[in-house]
Amino acid sequence: MGKLRASFYDVIVVGAGPAGATLAYELAKANIKVLLLEKAKLPRYKACAGGITVRTANLLAFDISSVIERVVYGARWSYKLDYKLTGFYERPIVYMVTRDKFDHLLTRRAQDAGAELLDNQKVVQLETRAGKVTVSTESHAFVTDVVVGADGANSVVARGLGLAKDFYYGVGLEAEVYVSKGDLSKWDSLMGLDLGTIPGGYGWLFPKEDRLSIGVTGHIRFNKKLRPYLKRLLESYNLENCQIKTFRGALMPVRKKGTPIVGDRGLLIGDAAGLIDAVTGEGIYCAVRSAQLAAAVIMKFLAGGLPDLQGYKKAIDDELMPELRVTRALAIFITLMSVGTPRLFFKLAPENEQVWRALCRIVRGEKTYVSVKQGLGRFQFLFDLLAR
Ligand SMILES: Cc1cc2nc3c(=O)[nH]c(=O)nc-3n(C[C@H](O)[C@H](O)[C@H](O)COP(=O)(O)OP(=O)(O)OC[C@H]3O[C@@H](n4cnc5c(N)ncnc54)[C@H](O)[C@@H]3O)c2cc1C
């Protein structure tokens, strides 16, 4: 736990994941008095595959190479657990990190910029009175002008502000698997991706320095199928007898159009706002970007240049939601295809060089989902229908 200096802060950020740490960094850099409250003792484990896309790394204001464990250039694809092909790209597509180290780096950068951090402090209650918010943990109370929920999928801030009650939900299960050096070296610059086993869901193998992150994800309605799927995925990689150190699951909320994320004296960023790519489950890009968009609005608000925080909702709706709506439509399309014509779906996606390269360019930030939609010309309306 950090040292407590005062109980009033311009901004209190709840949750020290990528969203909260980025916001604390941006605000502290602008000399705003900011407190970052985190329920866990840092560094902490987070159920995550730890894939940082190149576009996410490019968003961050500082270098993250000290926590990058592998650089991925390609994917080994399987269809219903049966190996099909390996696709490569000429430049890096995803950096592999472990979330304890990555998130800790981000919080340290926020502290270096001047943010105060208190870990081991679970926020339990919010109370808004006379334009100020009292944020209570199990042992302290703090007062602020603006509170930000960066506290993930089960956000206590969202409940306290009466926001974000309406999401679509995905679920992810992750196992950290310790394997021999020989097994590890097979995945040096490659990730494994399995399609078609669960409609619309997928399995992954992401290599780290000393272990593999292996997991599965799918719509919440397939929740019960995920554990057996993960077991079969491990078998398909001949890893069923390896040492599994951590095995955890987590919800992946996806915001619906219009779901409220801004209140009178607070707002939500990252997973708390449901800002997740519905196709890949990538959430760290939006966590970082939503924090940056929130920082700009909060700074103007505190300086008296804005009457409220609604500008943040507009920024999210203008910049991130058009992309996320296309991912939602694609996720529905993929689910329908993988139920109806799974083999055709595989032919249209990874086996198709153009689609593979487009995917690589999206995760590198060189292309957008919206441009893919626009490429459909007069059939674009199909995306809008699916993502309603
Ligand atoms: C299995 C799985 C695999 C994934 N893989 C990837 C991937 O490879 N790449 C990717 O980009 N995304 C991935 N995601 C999504 C990604 O993990 C999230 O989108 C990302 O962590 C969101 O960041 P955040 O800062 O909003 O929330 P989080 O990272 O969840 O951080 C929230 C923080 O708030 C703290 N907190 C919660 N409640 C309180 C409270 N009451 N008081 C104080 N603190 C609190 C938590 O302890 C936590 O530290 C994956 C998700 C899952 C479930």
Side-chain angles (χ1 to χ4, degrees):
M1 180 161 133
K3 197 165 160 236
L4 191 62
R5 285 209 301 265
S7 61
F8 180 82
Y9 293 85
D10 297 326
V11 182
I12 292 180
V13 183
V14 181
T22 302
L23 179 61
Y25 170 83
E26 295 288 336
L27 294 175
K29 221 174 44 168
N31 287 324
I32 287 170
K33 194 172 157 58
V34 55
L35 173 65
L36 184 55
L37 290 172
E38 166 57 48
K39 75 173 175 189
K41 173 98 189 91
L42 298 179
R44 60 96 181 88
Y45 167 82
K46 155 88 179 86
C48 182
I52 306 296
T53 56
V54 169
R55 67 178 182 154
T56 308
N58 289 343
L59 264 187
L60 291 164
F62 41 81
D63 180 37
I64 59 161
S65 49
S66 63
V67 294
I68 293 176
E69 302 199 353
R70 305 250 169 200
V71 180
V72 162
Y73 286 79
R76 185 181 185 274
W77 294 92
S78 53
Y79 171 70
K80 291 196 175 176
L81 305 168
D82 188 18
Y83 169 68
K84 289 291 171 209
L85 81 156
T86 301
F88 284 100
Y89 197 67
E90 59 275 15
R91 280 174 289 170
I93 45 181
V94 190
Y95 301 119
M96 295 292 152
V97 303
T98 55
R99 285 292 301 276
D100 51 351
K101 290 185 192 148
F102 175 75
D103 290 18
H104 203 209
L105 172 72
L106 266 50
T107 52
R108 284 202 312 269
R109 290 290 170 270
Q111 285 178 289
D112 293 345
E116 278 186 55
L117 166 73
L118 287 179
D119 60 356
N120 248 334
Q121 287 287 307
K122 182 177 181 182
V123 170
V124 289
Q125 202 187 341
L126 302 186
E127 200 183 341
T128 308
R129 200 178 294 161
K132 305 276 179 217
V133 187
T134 302
V135 179
S136 303
T137 68
E138 283 158 334
S139 55
H140 292 86
F142 308 94
V143 181
T144 185
D145 280 330
V146 177
V147 64
V148 176
D151 47 346
N154 300 307
S155 170
V156 70
V157 177
R159 286 195 295 280
L161 297 175
L163 301 172
K165 293 173 189 146
D166 204 12
F167 291 131
Y168 304 104
Y169 281 104
V171 190
L173 274 188
E174 194 249 355
E176 309 232 327
V177 184
Y178 287 79
V179 299
S180 68
K181 279 203 171 130
D183 277 332
L184 206 54
S185 65
K186 287 182 201 158
W187 298 98
D188 201 20
S189 58
L190 271 183
M191 58 189 168
L193 294 170
D194 178 65
L195 297 177
T197 309
I198 283 197
Y202 71 95
W204 75 78
L205 180 154
F206 280 13
K208 306 295 166 61
E209 193 179 343
D210 60 346
R211 72 194 93 159
L212 300 170
S213 160
I214 303 185
V216 294
T217 179
H219 190 278
I220 197 162
R221 87 170 72 97
F222 300 113
N223 198 10
K224 289 205 174 110
K225 296 194 168 171
L226 289 182
R227 233 171 214 267
Y229 178 21
L230 181 55
K231 190 168 171 285
R232 289 178 58 209
L233 187 64
L234 286 163
E235 284 164 7
S236 76
Y237 293 129
N238 293 322
L239 295 172
E240 67 274 29
N241 295 322
C242 288
Q243 190 200 348
I244 296 180
K245 203 165 163 198
T246 317
F247 173 57
R248 284 223 212 134
L251 283 175
M252 302 162 97
V254 178
R255 183 177 177 232
K256 293 185 179 173
K257 194 181 171 192
T259 298
I261 53 172
V262 180
D264 287 346
R265 286 278 158 184
L267 54 83
L268 306 174
I269 58 178
D271 275 14
L275 303 174
I276 290 192
D277 179 320
V279 173
T280 62
E282 179 192 8
I284 299 172
Y285 175 81
C286 284
V288 171
R289 188 63 192 137
S290 62
Q292 293 172 340
L293 295 172
V297 172
I298 291 170
M299 283 186 232
K300 266 197 197 157
F301 174 72
L302 291 175
L306 288 174
D308 55 38
L309 297 164
Q310 289 299 330
Y312 168 69
K313 178 181 173 297
K314 183 169 173 0
I316 293 293
D317 285 345
D318 288 352
E319 185 178 319
L320 296 182
M321 288 311 286
E323 283 289 287
L324 295 184
R325 275 170 57 74
V326 177
T327 70
R328 166 100 186 115
L330 272 173
I332 295 171
F333 178 70
I334 291 169
T335 305
L336 294 175
M337 288 282 286
S338 50
V339 174
T341 48
R343 191 68 198 92
L344 176 66
F345 163 67
F346 202 81
K347 277 218 167 303
L348 284 178
E351 282 181 20
N352 180 312
E353 182 72 11
Q354 246 185 319
V355 173
W356 161 245
R357 293 188 70 78
L359 192 63
C360 293
R361 294 192 64 212
I362 288 172
V363 299
R364 282 185 51 84
E366 296 162 357
K367 190 176 176 75
T368 61
Y369 283 112
V370 169
S371 70
V372 171
K373 174 185 148 181
Q374 284 164 345
L376 291 180
R378 62 198 166 92
F379 295 107
Q380 285 183 54
F381 75 94
L382 288 173
F383 272 77
D384 298 326
L385 277 179
L386 284 174
R388 269 199 311 175

